Amino acid sequence: MASAALAPRSQAASAVSLIAPDVAEGLGPIPANAIVVVAPLVSDMPTVKDAGALMLRVAALIAGHLGPTARVNGHSEPLSVAMAVAAKGGALIYVQGEIARGQLRVIADLYPVLSNGWDRARAPLAAPRAHAFASAPIDAEIRAFLVPIPLERAEVHKARHDLGEVLAVSCGDVDGDGGNDLVLVSRTTVAWGHIEAGRFVANHSASWTTLAPRLPVPLREPLGTAAILPKRHGVGSDIFVGTTDRGGVALSRDLRGAAPLLGLPVLVEGDVLCVKPIPAASSWEGPWLDCSKGAKALADARVELPLGRYDAVAVSELVSSDGSSLPLLATRDPAGSVRLRAGERDVTLPAAGAQVALADVDEDGIPELVTTSRDGDEALTISSWWGGELRVRSKIAAPSPLRALALCPPDDEGLRALVAATDKEVWIVR
């Protein structure tokens, strides 16, 4: 049994709402009555017919941060036309947008304007007085302007590993090279690395005997957690892992210098909080804990844990197609029912396997619940939460029990992979 968590891009913020203030701030002081004009959107992914509306949305947010006199031109234009459009304004802010390698990249330039048509025709194009750039991974708001991803066509790529019984897995950029890495936690070993030629290749690994002593009262059926937390200042990420055999520890990327935690770590709203194991019940109990103090930790009321017992928890964030954001929470009680929460909405799944994950897998603004089987044939089931109902989108048979689940941040194609681990294989579902 394990937990799955996905690190949010930014707490309660869509990609567009992150980019706009950064661009406005980067331009510096702007003359009054500036006109914001956008270039046609460029994309390395297929777009829908009205994809140009995305850049108008970006431009409107930028103008809002520039001041009350800034206004937006209602159509995308090439730079030469934009100069003419802005001739009666105080300045031209020309905004260019590109969707590339899974990110929305926005460039804005501040140009002086020439009000006389003859001056514009005779004078060479002046260099911009200010330049700004910002980018963010695509999300459901941006994905609404791209051709949808069919979950029903999900493909599984399998890789062997030799770590034995896996208790938890996490996915993220550990070394800062821009690609996703995997952290695998077994009863004996912690390792992080990547998939190469059909095998999990460890960049670093460490035995639990070197990281933490065995707890005096381990659970009958062990639980594990793993979290990859991007560094706030610097490159790469820190690693947090835990099992009910050993407790929780914080690790550097070389897996040395383990710092003990007062619980098992889970990513919650861009930070690491801990849960408390209860050996007698083979589960966790109570609210989020501060990992260093053991006291109840502050968290958004919408992601507060039930005060009862639970043996799996998943936390993520939902960004809708209009840019609004909601936290997602799933908890499984030891009897097998799963409670889902998205903002103020709740639904209960009567029975599910020991592994659960909850996130917007295809980034369409609708959350997906991923579960393993409880009884009978082993399978990985992906269901979309439409209103108050769960609709199965994909079911993938498994030859052996699936021990852990995790969701990856978007890759270079803007896709989130689902990671599932058995005792012999790691599955990458895309």
Side-chain angles (χ1 to χ4, degrees):
M1 292 179 280
S3 77
L6 176 67
R9 295 175 185 81
S10 177
Q11 183 176 338
S14 68
V16 171
S17 65
L18 290 172
I19 287 173
D22 286 349
V23 169
E25 182 179 355
L27 290 173
I30 301 296
N33 301 313
I35 298 177
V36 182
V37 183
V38 300
L41 177 67
V42 177
S43 175
D44 64 358
M45 304 173 68
T47 60
V48 297
K49 187 175 181 180
D50 62 344
L54 171 61
M55 289 310 301
L56 293 177
R57 186 178 298 183
V58 173
L61 288 176
I62 292 174
H65 286 280
L66 292 177
T69 64
R71 62 184 180 88
V72 178
N73 185 58
H75 303 280
S76 62
E77 304 287 1
L79 179 57
S80 58
V81 176
M83 295 294 292
V85 169
K88 295 183 179 181
L92 167 66
I93 310 297
Y94 194 61
V95 179
Q96 302 173 73
E98 177 186 26
I99 296 174
R101 298 178 65 85
Q103 293 199 334
L104 173 62
R105 303 169 179 176
V106 175
I107 296 173
D109 291 298
L110 168 63
Y111 290 95
V113 296
L114 299 175
S115 58
N116 186 287
W118 287 106
D119 290 339
R120 292 196 302 273
R122 291 181 305 202
L125 182 64
R129 292 181 177 176
H131 176 85
F133 169 80
S135 66
I138 64 176
D139 56 16
E141 184 178 12
I142 299 169
R143 178 70 65 183
F145 298 94
L146 302 176
V147 174
I149 302 170
L151 283 179
E152 291 78 2
R153 299 180 187 176
E155 297 181 351
V156 181
H157 305 272
K158 300 180 181 180
R160 303 282 294 180
H161 72 80
D162 56 5
L163 299 181
E165 184 180 351
V166 174
L167 301 180
V169 62
S170 189
C171 182
D173 185 5
V174 174
D175 54 11
D177 67 353
N180 284 325
D181 304 297
L182 298 178
V183 173
L184 298 181
V185 180
S186 75
R187 299 193 71 169
T188 62
T189 307
V190 177
W192 75 267
H194 58 281
I195 304 300
E196 183 177 312
R199 293 194 64 85
F200 171 75
V201 178
N203 292 57
H204 291 280
S205 63
S207 169
W208 269 112
T209 59
T210 66
L211 300 177
R214 184 175 292 276
L215 296 178
V217 187
L219 271 63
R220 182 176 66 255
E221 294 185 45
L223 303 173
T225 66
I228 298 172
L229 182 65
K231 291 181 178 293
R232 298 185 187 279
H233 305 287
V235 177
S237 305
D238 294 315
I239 298 171
F240 298 81
V241 297
T243 76
T244 50
D245 289 342
R246 302 279 179 171
V249 293
L251 301 166
S252 58
R253 72 181 66 171
D254 60 6
L255 303 186
R256 297 179 181 177
L261 306 174
L262 298 178
L264 274 62
V266 179
L267 276 172
V268 181
E269 297 187 323
D271 202 355
V272 173
L273 301 180
C274 281
V275 290
K276 180 182 179 182
I278 304 297
S282 292
S283 65
W284 295 307
E285 186 175 75
W288 300 115
L289 300 177
D290 184 309
C291 292
S292 61
K293 299 177 181 178
K296 181 178 178 180
L298 296 176
D300 191 308
R302 295 170 297 177
V303 293
E304 285 184 353
L305 287 166
L307 297 181
R309 292 171 176 171
Y310 48 98
D311 59 15
V313 58
V315 185
S316 184
E317 184 186 31
L318 176 70
V319 176
S320 67
S321 57
D322 64 3
S324 60
S325 176
L326 290 173
L328 298 175
L329 174 69
T331 53
R332 178 188 184 272
D333 69 35
S337 67
V338 177
R339 182 181 178 185
L340 313 179
R341 183 183 301 158
E344 304 301 325
R345 291 186 296 148
D346 287 82
V347 68
T348 298
L349 182 67
Q355 313 305 322
V356 299
L358 181 63
D360 185 2
V361 177
D362 55 358
E363 294 189 320
D364 62 352
I366 299 170
E368 275 72 47
L369 174 70
V370 185
T371 60
T372 56
S373 298
R374 183 182 182 189
D375 299 305
D377 295 336
E378 290 290 334
L380 185 70
T381 302
I382 304 173
S383 303
S384 291
W385 183 6
W386 294 81
E389 298 182 355
L390 287 166
R391 190 182 79 183
V392 175
R393 303 286 301 281
S394 181
K395 192 168 186 177
I396 305 167
S400 58
L402 296 166
R403 304 290 189 184
L405 298 177
L407 283 154
C408 297
D411 60 17
D412 287 348
E413 297 179 14
L415 303 177
R416 282 183 175 164
L418 170 67
V419 181
T422 72
D423 291 343
K424 295 182 179 180
E425 294 180 329
V426 177
W427 291 12
I428 309 296
V429 183
R430 300 177 77 251

